[in-house]
Amino acid sequence: MTQQVKRAFKYRFYPTDEQAAELSRTFGCVRLVYNKALEGRTRAWYGEQRRVSYVQSSAALTEWKKTGELAFLTEVSSVPLQQALRHLQTAFGNFFAKRAKYPRYKSRKKSRASAEYTRSAFKWRDGQLTLAKMAGPLDIRWSRPLPEGAEPTTVTVSRDSADRWFVSLLCEDTISPAPATDAAIGLDAGITSLVTLSTGEKVANPKHERRDRARLAKAQRELSRKAKGSANREKARRKVAKVHARIADRRRDFLHKLSTRLVRENQTVVIEDLTVRNLLKNGRLARAISDAAWTDLRMMLEYKCAWYGRELVVIDRWFPSSKLCGTCGTVAAKMPLNVREWTCECGTVHDRDVNAARNILAAGLAASACGDGVRPQRESSRTGRSSVKQETQRATAGIPRL
C-alpha cells in the first residue's frame, strides 16, 4: 500500500555574487532575530517565570523593524525571519516537554548558516526556483529528478563551512512498499567491521576519517600557522573544511547504500540500542566510534523501514549479546574487547561478532513475537533483569548455528 510522505531533496547550487550577498545578509538577519527573541524569552522565563508565545515574538519583530538600529531587517525577506521564530517556538516546546535542553544561541562561526522559505517567499516555475528579493533563478545542479508532478512546499537554503551552497526542497512523494520477504537480519555494530550480520557476513569499516587523516593533519597545521583575522587564515580554514566535507560526504554515501541494501533484502532488521554518547567518553576509541557513525546508520534504518514497510526492532542495550552462547544459552563471566573468538563450556567455538549478531537477531524475533523490545526496556524491579533478557535467553538457548 503506497503512502504519501514529505521528503527533502537536496541539491548543490552556485549563486551569483548578488545572490550570495543577499543570502548572506539573510543568514545574518535570521541568526540575529533568533538570538534576540531567545534573549527576550530567557529574560521573561528566568526573571518573571513567564512564557512568551510565537505571536508575541512576531509582534516584537515588527517593532524591531521600526527602530533605527534594526531597520535593516526590512531589507531581507520577512518569511525566513518568521520561520526562525517558529523554530525557536518548537525548541521551547521541546524544552518544556522535557524532550530537549534549553535552547542555545546561534554562533556566527559554529552554527549552520541557513534560511527557510515557505510558498509565499519563492516562485517555482518550469523547474526553476526563484527566491524572494532575487531577480533571477538559482543555478541548481539537478543531480536527481524531483518526483513527477511534485512541487516544493518549503525551500531551505544553506551554506556549509567549506563555502558550498545547498538548497533543500521539501516535496510530497509517493512511497511504494518493497516486495515482502521472509528474511530477517541481526546487526552487531563494531569498529574493525562496521557491522557484522547474523548471516556471518562482515561489512568492512571504510574508515573514511583515517584515510584522509594525513591530509587533514597537514591542512590543520597550515591553519595553525596563519595569523588570526588574515585572508590567508580564511583560505586555510576553507581547506580544512573541505577535507571534513569530503570525509562526511563519503561516509554518508556509504551508509545510505548499506542501509538501503539491508532494508530491501530483509523484512525485519534487528539492532542494539547503543548509547553512542556514553561510548564516546572512552578516550581511546572515541575517534573510531565517531568515524563509524552508528547513530546515522540507525537513523537511516528507522525512516527507510517506515517508508518501505519493514520492521525495525531495537533490543535492550543491556542484553549480553557478545557473552551469550547461541547454542546452549550460557553467559560468559567476562568478555574483554581483545577477545575476538571464544569457546563456550559446551564446546562451541564462537566468532565474537557473528555470535553477537545471531543473538541480536534471536532477541529481536523473540521480542517482536511477544510485543516487547521494540523500544529499550529498563530492568524489572523484582528480578533486576529486563524482560527482553529473560525472553531472549529462553529463546536463544539451543538455537542451531547458521
Side-chain angles (χ1 to χ4, degrees), residues 54-299:
Y54 162 76
V55 175
Q56 292 172 314
S57 297
S58 181
L61 173 60
T62 303
E63 296 300 321
W64 297 339
K65 292 180 179 181
K66 296 178 181 179
T67 63
E69 182 183 359
L70 299 177
F72 61 87
L73 293 176
T74 59
E75 298 176 3
V76 301
S77 173
S78 62
V79 172
L81 307 183
Q82 295 290 343
Q83 291 300 101
L85 297 180
R86 289 189 174 92
H87 294 162
L88 181 61
Q89 177 67 24
T90 301
F92 270 99
N94 292 332
F95 166 70
F96 289 124
K98 298 182 179 181
R99 292 190 296 265
K101 295 182 179 180
Y102 195 82
R104 295 181 297 179
Y105 291 97
K106 291 184 179 295
S107 167
R108 176 179 298 180
K109 294 183 178 180
K110 297 182 180 180
S111 297
R112 174 170 171 260
S114 65
E116 185 175 281
Y117 296 79
T118 58
R119 282 304 303 259
S120 61
F122 68 86
K123 182 173 63 176
W124 174 260
R125 183 174 299 172
D126 298 330
Q128 290 189 324
L129 178 69
T130 305
L131 301 177
K133 302 286 186 176
M134 294 186 184
L138 299 181
D139 182 15
I140 301 175
R141 297 296 187 265
W142 299 101
S143 54
R144 55 175 173 166
L146 289 176
E148 186 176 356
E151 291 191 3
T153 57
T154 304
V155 171
T156 302
V157 181
S158 61
R159 183 187 61 212
D160 67 4
S161 57
D163 283 348
R164 300 183 303 175
W165 296 83
F166 295 94
V167 58
S168 180
L169 310 179
L170 186 65
C171 305
E172 289 283 346
D173 192 14
T174 302
I175 302 293
S176 300
T181 177
D182 296 331
I185 199 77
L187 276 64
D188 177 61
I191 295 176
T192 304
S193 299
L194 181 63
V195 291
T196 301
L197 309 183
S198 55
T199 58
E201 177 187 354
K202 294 187 177 182
V203 179
N205 187 352
K207 298 180 181 178
H208 298 292
E209 187 272 339
R210 176 173 291 185
R211 292 170 62 182
D212 281 345
R213 187 170 295 177
R215 180 183 300 182
L216 178 61
K218 180 181 178 181
Q220 289 173 332
R221 285 195 300 269
E222 292 177 354
L223 174 63
S224 66
R225 299 188 184 108
K226 308 302 180 184
K228 291 185 178 180
S230 66
N232 285 336
R233 184 177 179 86
E234 178 60 21
K235 292 179 183 178
R237 183 202 63 78
R238 281 199 296 267
K239 287 184 179 180
V240 174
K242 287 180 179 179
V243 178
H244 280 296
R246 169 186 165 89
I247 295 171
D249 290 346
R250 293 166 63 190
R251 181 190 294 125
R252 190 182 307 110
D253 178 70
F254 179 83
L255 293 178
H256 269 299
K257 291 176 179 177
L258 174 61
S259 58
T260 299
R261 172 200 154 194
L262 294 173
V263 170
R264 284 180 176 174
E265 295 178 353
N266 302 279
Q267 187 67 34
T268 303
V269 181
V270 187
I271 60 176
E272 286 183 291
D273 180 43
L274 296 176
T275 52
V276 178
R277 181 177 299 178
N278 292 337
L279 295 175
L280 290 175
K281 296 178 182 179
N282 185 328
R284 296 179 60 186
L285 299 177
R287 194 168 189 173
I289 292 173
S290 297
D291 194 21
W294 297 331
T295 302
D296 292 345
L297 178 60
R298 172 173 174 171
M299 178 189 65

Side-chain angles (χ1 to χ4, degrees), residues 343-392:
T343 303
C344 180
E345 297 175 354
C346 66
T348 306
V349 179
H350 294 291
D351 179 288
R352 177 195 181 106
D353 298 331
V354 175
N355 175 67
R358 290 170 177 167
N359 288 333
I360 289 170
L361 174 60
L365 296 179
S368 180
C370 66
D372 196 4
V374 177
R375 287 297 171 205
Q377 301 293 319
R378 283 297 178 188
E379 294 185 349
S380 169
S381 58
R382 290 187 178 182
T383 63
R385 300 164 63 194
S386 72
S387 57
V388 174
K389 291 183 185 178
Q390 300 171 27
E391 182 67 27
T392 304

